[in-house]
Amino acid sequence: DNRCTYLCSQILTKLTGQTVYDYLTPRLFEPLGCSGLWWETRDGVNPGGWGLNLKTEDIARFGQFLLNRGAWEGKQLLDPAWIDSAGSRLTENAGLSVYEWPDWEQGYGFQFWRCRHGAYRADGASGQLTVVLPECDMVVSINAGLRDMQKELALIWDNLLPGVKDAPFVAGEALACLRRRIDALAIPPTAGGSAGLDGFLGKTYGFKSNHRGIESARFERDGGNLVCVLKVPAGEQKIPVGVGEWKKGEMRFD
């Protein structure tokens, strides 16, 4: 329940004088090596149940931390007994899912959902999740944007679990095939041309206050190239814009 989690965040902030983000940074995020994350703040309080932005690899680090029962790189950061309780079935929720999704009816722990196959997970809106499978010594972490999260979990059960074995993994053609597929993964650029862009050139678009400090943006021609000029605390930054192709750029925020 997001309201209960928000209340927990408020209690911690009142007792410590710190937001949950500030409290957890030296105790969890930094030891795990998480970087570039940020947490939405409302009236000086992190919502607790939402608004935390993490990269997929950082979600995976958190999942591995749970699988390790609170240990990381030889240090015990959290009581393993608490981890065991947090991921256990403490509350029954069978028959309560409005979607009739079986993995939403396996019980609930301390902010963790129980799943089928002896697993439990931390998940967010639209399929941001890390699934911990203690019996398989495995963690699956995903950043997604979809509505049917049960189908997302079914992909794990139907496609990954059948390949899990107790024996050590032996490199071979299957691994080579996976590497070829990973190396070939790409996001195609949006098709289109520059027709109609002139109406946007030179216009400045302002932004509301945001964690990156971006004040405004405008599009300009820089020679024969299109650029986006962002105004940030470090000054104006020019980012190349690809039209029908990807273009790489760099910028400083501070």
Side-chain angles (χ1 to χ4, degrees):
D1 188 314
N2 280 340
R3 291 168 294 183
C4 294
T5 311
Y6 187 79
L7 180 60
C8 288
S9 178
Q10 287 183 312
I11 291 171
L12 184 140
T13 299
K14 184 175 181 178
L15 290 175
T16 66
Q18 296 179 292
T19 63
V20 175
Y21 174 80
D22 291 335
Y23 185 84
L24 288 180
T25 294
R27 294 170 172 83
L28 182 68
F29 298 140
E30 288 180 350
L32 264 57
C34 301
S35 62
L37 65 163
W38 63 277
W39 205 329
E40 179 184 340
T41 303
R42 298 185 179 187
D43 299 322
V45 177
N46 298 133
W50 70 93
L52 175 61
N53 290 254
L54 293 162
K55 300 186 294 294
T56 308
E57 54 263 41
D58 291 333
I59 297 175
R61 289 171 185 266
F62 180 60
Q64 185 65 44
F65 168 73
L66 296 172
L67 184 65
N68 294 346
R69 300 178 68 226
W72 192 262
E73 295 184 343
K75 295 182 179 180
Q76 194 69 44
L77 304 180
L78 198 58
D79 185 348
W82 188 91
I83 295 284
D84 294 341
S85 294
S88 66
R89 186 199 301 260
L90 300 176
T91 302
E92 294 293 338
N93 57 8
L96 299 180
S97 172
V98 296
Y99 299 107
E100 296 183 354
W101 292 346
D103 284 301
W104 271 253
E105 298 188 339
Q106 304 303 311
Y108 196 74
F110 296 154
Q111 320 294 30
F112 294 110
W113 293 87
R114 291 290 305 176
C115 309
R116 291 173 291 172
H117 307 287
Y120 68 94
R121 71 186 187 278
D123 66 17
S126 303
Q128 330 307 326
L129 53 83
T130 187
V131 182
V132 182
L133 299 102
E135 296 175 7
C136 301
D137 192 28
M138 184 170 74
V139 172
V140 180
S141 302
I142 303 172
N143 261 330
L146 43 77
R147 294 181 62 87
D148 191 343
M149 291 181 283
Q150 180 61 68
K151 184 180 293 185
E152 179 183 19
L153 287 171
L155 290 173
I156 299 174
W157 313 145
D158 297 343
N159 295 280
L160 291 184
L161 280 190
V164 175
K165 299 177 181 178
D166 291 334
F169 182 78
V170 178
E173 179 56 29
L175 178 59
C177 179
L178 176 62
R179 285 176 172 165
R180 288 194 297 269
R181 181 168 182 176
I182 290 174
D183 290 341
L185 289 176
I187 301 176
T190 301
S194 59
L197 290 176
D198 290 341
F200 296 95
L201 298 181
K203 294 183 179 180
T204 300
Y205 300 88
F207 291 87
K208 294 181 179 179
S209 177
N210 56 83
H211 76 287
R212 286 294 192 184
I214 301 175
E215 298 178 25
S216 64
R218 70 177 184 275
F219 293 93
E220 295 180 349
R221 295 283 185 189
D222 187 5
N225 300 314
L226 181 67
V227 297
C228 177
V229 182
L230 293 177
K231 186 176 181 181
V232 296
E236 288 195 341
Q237 308 278 313
K238 287 186 177 181
I239 308 299
V241 177
V243 180
E245 62 177 335
W246 291 111
K247 288 195 174 181
K248 188 176 181 178
E250 296 181 0
M251 69 176 297
R252 292 187 305 113
F253 285 99
D254 51 33

